[in-house]
Amino acid sequence: MKAALPVVAALALLACLLPFLLLSAYNHPSTDDYCQCIRVHDAPARGETRLEALTARARRTYRTWGGRYVTHVAHALCPIAFDRWDWYRLSSVAICLLFLAALFFLARTANRFLLHAPAGTLFAGAAGLAIVSFARLPAAADGFFWHSGYMAHTFPLVTSLFLCAALIRFFRAETGRGRIASFLLLLLCLFLSVGGDEMAMTITLFLAASVFLIARWEGRVGNGYLAVLLAVAAGSAALEILAPGNAAMIATAGCASVDRSLLPVLSRAIRLAADRTSSWI
């Protein structure tokens, strides 16, 4: 029975994943996909480089819409900005496979350094989590088919999974080179996660603060690394929370007399983070 468990898990995962992959062949942009990348698409016609257009678009969105600095750039780089409709369809396949890769990488890392379960059991457990994730998606279109949706929600989840794996590897790395590699991966995933959405920002800040305090309490080595990690997490969160676009969105929503100071900016970011985190839980 144990020998058959990985086979059953693989077949179940394939049956769950296959419809997503097949539907990607019929995927098509919609709504925000067009308006988010139109400036990058039209850049050559205006005598502007795509990099200049991307920078201007991301800066404007940061000032007028919100603080998700990674998501703003990702939205402007939608494949249709380069007239690559085939890339748009392939990107749905890519985000599905990337999510699976992040999930299995975290499971493998946790098993290698913490759990030490049999390989078949590990695969079956990770496959089960993946099946639940795909089957229980609140909105499959947002999660894997709509570029504006999955870059704002699924991609930050992917980077958060890689972040957790890198955190485990950092604590368990036996060599200086392995510790440095894990730390660099940590910093990259942290910056991408915090700039993705408010839920990822909340989880990342909680992880960074928790591991720093625990390591300091237990007197473990590597506190300097963790202090830098916490500082980068706090700085990245400040970059998102203090975005002028947060206050601008509050005013646009009907609060004409809003004071564009720190308080409304913080309140919107905290409210969004609480809503996203509670829905995830």
Side-chain angles (χ1 to χ4, degrees), residues 58-267:
R59 186 167 57 245
R60 181 178 182 277
T61 311
Y62 183 79
R63 292 197 308 263
T64 61
W65 185 259
R68 298 176 178 179
Y69 51 86
V70 172
T71 301
H72 298 331
V73 174
H75 283 169
L77 290 176
C78 182
I80 61 174
F82 308 93
D83 291 320
R84 295 306 303 261
W85 303 86
D86 53 338
W87 288 2
Y88 192 92
R89 292 186 287 270
L90 288 174
S91 65
S92 294
V93 175
I95 197 67
C96 289
L97 297 180
L98 188 61
F99 173 73
L100 280 180
L103 185 60
F104 276 90
F105 180 68
L106 174 58
R108 183 177 179 274
T109 301
N111 190 61
R112 176 185 175 187
F113 294 106
L114 300 174
L115 304 176
H116 309 293
T121 304
L122 169 69
F123 177 82
L129 288 175
I131 291 171
V132 171
S133 299
F134 280 103
R136 298 297 296 171
L137 277 175
D142 280 3
F144 291 103
F145 296 108
W146 186 36
H147 182 272
S148 298
Y150 61 69
M151 291 309 301
H153 305 303
T154 307
F155 184 72
L157 175 60
V158 167
T159 57
S160 297
L161 292 174
F162 278 117
L163 173 70
C164 293
L167 195 59
I168 295 173
R169 294 179 67 90
F170 173 79
F171 274 108
R172 297 294 183 174
E174 297 178 357
T175 64
R177 181 176 298 179
R179 181 177 289 270
I180 292 174
S182 298
F183 182 69
L184 293 177
L185 179 60
L186 265 175
L187 291 180
L188 175 62
C189 292
L190 184 150
F191 184 77
L192 294 176
S193 296
V194 172
D197 73 352
E198 290 74 21
M199 182 186 75
M201 179 191 69
T202 304
I203 295 173
T204 302
L205 275 176
F206 175 78
L207 284 175
S210 297
V211 296
F212 174 77
L213 293 174
I214 292 172
R216 189 172 181 84
W217 178 267
E218 295 182 351
R220 294 188 180 185
V221 296
N223 282 344
Y225 285 106
L226 297 178
V228 172
L229 184 70
L230 181 58
V232 172
S236 300
L239 185 62
E240 177 169 342
I241 293 173
L242 300 179
N246 288 327
M249 282 299 293
I250 294 175
T252 304
C255 303
S257 61
V258 66
D259 176 18
R260 297 194 178 203
S261 62
L262 180 62
L263 184 59
V265 173
L266 284 175
S267 66

Side-chain angles (χ1 to χ4, degrees), residues 10-79:
L11 292 175
L13 178 59
L14 181 62
C16 183
L17 181 62
L18 192 58
F20 287 86
L21 301 181
L22 293 177
L23 285 172
S24 297
Y26 303 95
N27 202 15
H28 196 276
S30 65
T31 57
D32 288 355
D33 289 336
Y34 293 100
C35 62
Q36 296 281 10
C37 70
I38 187 64
R39 179 160 186 171
V40 177
H41 179 274
D42 294 344
R46 296 193 307 271
E48 189 179 25
T49 67
R50 293 191 189 276
L51 180 59
E52 291 172 341
L54 172 63
T55 304
R57 170 65 187 179
R59 186 167 57 245
R60 181 178 182 277
T61 311
Y62 183 79
R63 292 197 308 263
T64 61
W65 185 259
R68 298 176 178 179
Y69 51 86
V70 172
T71 301
H72 298 331
V73 174
H75 283 169
L77 290 176
C78 182

